[in-house]
């Protein structure tokens, strides 16, 4: 089954404690991306990757890092989480090419206290 | 960059009624406009999309219309059912490059009352 898998799905952590949200897709997609969803703001792109070893900032990259060492994996790293990073995070992937359907994971609820 | 505004933020209808959600975009170069449905506890899923060379597209009870001159597009759901209750997002993309970044609207919470 074609899917984007994120882990963990739910996490409560403390300010400053580094954490990683993993993302894996089994569709051999070149393009992967991370979004955060906040009430009234919709989905905002954090980082994206066009292919292995190619990453770039989205609209709200501050406080986040990513890496793309393998085609299928695109982890999101919060080096020093702060409460304003409490949000619902989505990983997504699609084939390269404008207008192709983008597939989302099921989301990761992150709370930073 | 592109800016997408979506209205209304919440919409409540009776089962069987129609629902309309509207979006406007700022960048006239945008040429791909998908709509996503997000059910509780799940990620957004594509339900319909339209490209700028088409004015209207329909898929069963769902239709999307596009007015490029006015830079707005709308989602129309007819004969609504309780299972249509969800959050709906519109998005716009400039498809002239292989990147095709999607910019999303703020979302509409649709509630269909039985």
């Amino acid at each position: 089954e074609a899917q984007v898998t994120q882990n963990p799905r739910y996490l409560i952590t403390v300010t400053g404690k580094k954490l990683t949200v993993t993302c894996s897709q089994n569709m051999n997609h070149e393009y992967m991306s991370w979004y955060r969803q906040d009430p009234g703001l919709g989905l905002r792109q954090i980082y994206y990757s066009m292919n292995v070893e190619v990453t770039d900032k989205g609209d709200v990259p501050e406080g986040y890092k990513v890496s793309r060492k393998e085609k299928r994996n695109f982890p999101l790293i919060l080096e020093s989480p702060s409460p304003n990073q409490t949000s619902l995070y989505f990983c997504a992937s699609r084939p390269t090419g404008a207008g192709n359907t983008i597939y989302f994971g099921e989301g990761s609820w992150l709370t930073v206290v | 960059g592109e800016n997408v505004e979506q209205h209304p933020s919440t919409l409540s209808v009776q089962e069987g009624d129609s629902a309309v959600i509207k979006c406007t975009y700022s960048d006239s170069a945008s040429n791909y406009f998908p709509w996503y449905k997000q059910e509780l506890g799940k990620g957004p899923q594509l339900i319909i999309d339209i490209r700028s060379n088409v004015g209207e597209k329909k898929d069963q009870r769902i239709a999307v219309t596009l007015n490029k001159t006015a830079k707005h597009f709308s989602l129309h759901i007819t004969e609504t059912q309780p299972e249509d209750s969800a959050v709906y997002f519109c998005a716009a993309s400039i498809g002239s490059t292989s990147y095709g970044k999607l910019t999303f609207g703020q979302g509409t919470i649709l509630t269909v009352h039985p």
Side-chain angles (χ1 to χ4, degrees), chain A residues 37 45 59 90 94 98-99 102, chain B residues 36 38 51 95 97 99 101:
Chain A
Q37 182 179 356
Q45 191 179 57
D59 297 317
F90 288 102
R94 66 166 172 78
I102 192 166
Chain B
Y36 289 84
Q38 184 182 15
R51 299 178 193 275
T97 68
Y99 170 31
K101 177 189 174 184

Side-chain angles (χ1 to χ4, degrees), chain B residues 24-36:
Chain B
T24 60
Y25 60 98
S26 61
D27 194 329
S28 57
S30 290
N31 59 4
Y32 175 64
F33 308 92
W35 285 88
Y36 289 84

Side-chain angles (χ1 to χ4, degrees), chain B residues 5-6 30 33 36 39 72 88 97 99 106 108:
Chain B
E5 296 287 332
Q6 182 173 345
S30 290
F33 308 92
Y36 289 84
E39 296 178 337
H72 68 69
Y88 291 81
T97 68
Y99 170 31
Q106 294 84 356
T108 296

Side-chain angles (χ1 to χ4, degrees), chain A residues 9 31 35 37 40-43 45 48 50 59 88 90 94 96-99 101-102 104-106, chain B residues 32 36 38 41-44 46 49 51 89 94-102 104-107:
Chain A
R9 295 288 314 281
Y31 177 93
Y35 294 85
Q37 182 179 356
L41 298 176
L43 290 153
Q45 191 179 57
Y48 66 95
M50 295 294 287
D59 297 317
L88 175 59
F90 288 102
R94 66 166 172 78
T96 302
T101 300
I102 192 166
F104 285 90
E106 297 213 316
Chain B
Y32 175 64
Y36 289 84
Q38 184 182 15
K42 300 201 169 181
L46 179 73
D49 57 13
R51 299 178 193 275
F89 291 99
I94 299 173
S96 58
T97 68
S98 61
Y99 170 31
K101 177 189 174 184
L102 282 173
F104 286 87
Q106 294 84 356

Side-chain angles (χ1 to χ4, degrees), chain B residues 75-89:
Chain B
L75 178 70
H76 305 253
I77 306 174
T78 58
E79 300 172 25
T80 54
Q81 300 166 4
E83 51 265 40
D84 294 329
S85 296
V87 181
Y88 291 81
F89 291 99

Side-chain angles (χ1 to χ4, degrees), chain B residues 11-21 61 75-81 110 112:
Chain B
L11 180 58
S12 184
V13 300
Q14 288 296 128
E15 182 176 1
D17 288 350
S18 295
V20 180
I21 302 171
R61 297 186 295 110
L75 178 70
H76 305 253
I77 306 174
T78 58
E79 300 172 25
T80 54
Q81 300 166 4
L110 173 64
V112 181

